[in-house]
Amino acid sequence: MARTSFIKEVNWKLLFSALGLMVISLLTIAGCETQSIPDDTVSSGSYLMTLLSSSKVLGQLRWQILGVFSFFILAKFDYHHLREWTWFLYLFAVIALVGLFFVEPIANVHRWYRIPFLGMSIQPAEYAKLIAVMAMAWYLEHNKHASSRFSVAVGLFIIAFPIFFLIFKQPDLGGALVFIPMVAAVMRFGQIHPGIQKALSIVSIIALSFVSLIFMGVLDHDQMRPVATRYVKEYQYERLSPKGYHQSACQTSISIGGVWGRGLSGAQYCRGGWLPEATTDAIFAAWTEMFGLVGAIVVLGLYAILLNESLNAALVAKDSFGQLLAAGIAVYLAAHVIVNIGMVSGVLPMTGVPLPLLSYGGSSVLANMAALGVLQSIYSRRFLF
């Protein structure tokens, strides 16, 4: 079937929801930066322009522009050709993750590469998770007639485990945990043996229940410390404390916002520096302080559209590679949204998971927009055979 024009093929709901979230990101980052702006400027007519010209906002804007550019490049690129690059990219991702342990750590963790001449840092884990989904999709497509065999499931875990382990050892517990539902989604769409899927679900539920019981105070936090710290770092375990300051600060910021919020200039809690990681992990709390329940509903609505259209790409894909790839990407986005909003709302422990397209950070924005570009490529080719 002949291709229509690219403009007609674009999923505008997907694109506009992403752009809307990026605009909200800039506004929130700007509002959190006002502690460095003189009071007389805050009350002037040039207030908003002053905020948006801050170095942090402009830095995020540059990454967003690169992200939009990558979206259109990958949207035009035929996703079928990704098969040819899969194992080269997978090997590159593993090498990049291993290489982090041979460079100087940033903030005592091995997550970023500094690029001095560009004045920025790159976090390879964000791209590695997406590349792992691509590799699993390639593998299951080539084994689709034997997907129910135990050996195929073992092969899938062999592909997923190096990425999971290397992210976990950075240490990045949150990044490793969101990898689990991605694997589960690929297994589900890849029709892996139901017994194996059930076993993975049971293990995941047990682990999640254990974490939840500690976080809710049912299991004593101090008594469980010797057991838990055999597997995670001390500071990671502290995030499971039901009395953690970071989470309490997030809930305070959200409650201050009320229904309508305090506005960009009135978010005193965020502006005063009392909300830790206000532009990264806790950006949803900062936005809600500024624009209240109404603002939170707007963000959740945009995410609902984004995730619905992402899943739609998986449902309309005409080949197993596209279906598996789209499903993995959709769950990748959904897991980040659920975990981040859950942790700032007090439902889940703080794990350092960025909120897609909102949290400050170039690697996350670029990886998210590249992923959406792949989804658009799959969506555009839904009528081609």
Side-chain angles (χ1 to χ4, degrees), residues 320-383:
S320 58
F321 179 73
Q323 186 181 63
L324 293 165
L325 186 56
I329 291 173
V331 174
Y332 162 84
L333 295 169
H336 280 76
V337 172
I338 292 170
V339 171
N340 182 280
I341 294 180
M343 69 186 189
V344 300
S345 302
V347 178
L348 297 172
M350 301 299 294
T351 56
V353 173
L355 191 56
L357 302 176
L358 252 69
S359 292
Y360 177 79
S363 294
S364 177
V365 171
L366 191 56
N368 294 158
M369 289 304 292
L372 294 178
V374 173
L375 288 176
Q376 175 61 55
S377 178
I378 295 170
Y379 182 83
S380 299
R381 290 160 178 81
R382 64 192 182 281
F383 295 126

Side-chain angles (χ1 to χ4, degrees), residues 2-164:
R3 293 286 302 276
T4 58
S5 68
F6 179 69
I7 297 298
K8 293 180 180 179
E9 294 173 348
V10 172
N11 186 335
W12 293 106
K13 291 181 181 179
L14 183 76
L15 180 58
F16 281 134
S17 58
L19 293 175
L21 289 166
M22 288 194 288
V23 170
I24 289 173
S25 173
L26 294 177
L27 290 173
T28 311
I29 294 169
C32 291
E33 287 292 285
T34 57
Q35 66 269 18
S36 61
I37 295 176
D39 291 338
D40 58 344
T41 305
V42 170
S43 60
S44 71
S46 61
Y47 170 61
L48 183 59
M49 292 306 298
T50 304
L51 294 183
L52 295 176
S53 63
S54 70
S55 59
K56 203 167 188 178
V57 173
L58 293 177
Q60 183 77 344
L61 180 60
R62 283 194 292 269
W63 279 107
Q64 290 178 347
I65 293 171
L66 285 173
V68 172
F69 183 73
S70 69
F71 172 88
F72 283 106
I73 291 294
L74 287 168
K76 286 289 290 181
F77 183 76
D78 187 345
Y79 72 93
H80 294 102
H81 296 311
L82 290 174
R83 294 188 185 98
E84 303 164 13
W85 293 85
T86 295
W87 296 109
F88 170 78
L89 292 172
Y90 180 85
L91 181 62
F92 181 79
V94 171
I95 292 173
L97 291 174
V98 171
L100 287 170
F101 297 97
F102 295 92
V103 298
E104 184 180 352
I106 299 175
N108 296 319
V109 294
H110 298 274
R111 297 184 191 174
W112 298 275
Y113 285 108
R114 287 191 180 93
I115 307 179
F117 57 90
L118 294 178
M120 61 179 64
S121 299
I122 297 292
Q123 186 176 7
E126 294 300 324
Y127 310 99
K129 286 180 281 191
L130 296 171
I131 292 169
V133 170
M134 189 190 309
M136 290 187 288
W138 182 98
Y139 173 76
L140 287 178
E141 183 186 42
H142 281 72
N143 292 277
K144 59 184 176 181
H145 298 300
S147 59
S148 61
R149 293 180 182 175
F150 181 76
S151 59
V152 174
V154 172
L156 191 70
F157 284 117
I158 290 174
I159 293 170
F161 182 75
I163 303 292
F164 171 85

Side-chain angles (χ1 to χ4, degrees), residues 189 306-316 326-327 330-331 334 375:
F189 276 80
L306 185 77
L307 296 176
N308 180 71
E309 296 306 314
S310 299
L311 289 170
N312 189 39
L315 295 174
V316 302
V331 174
L375 288 176

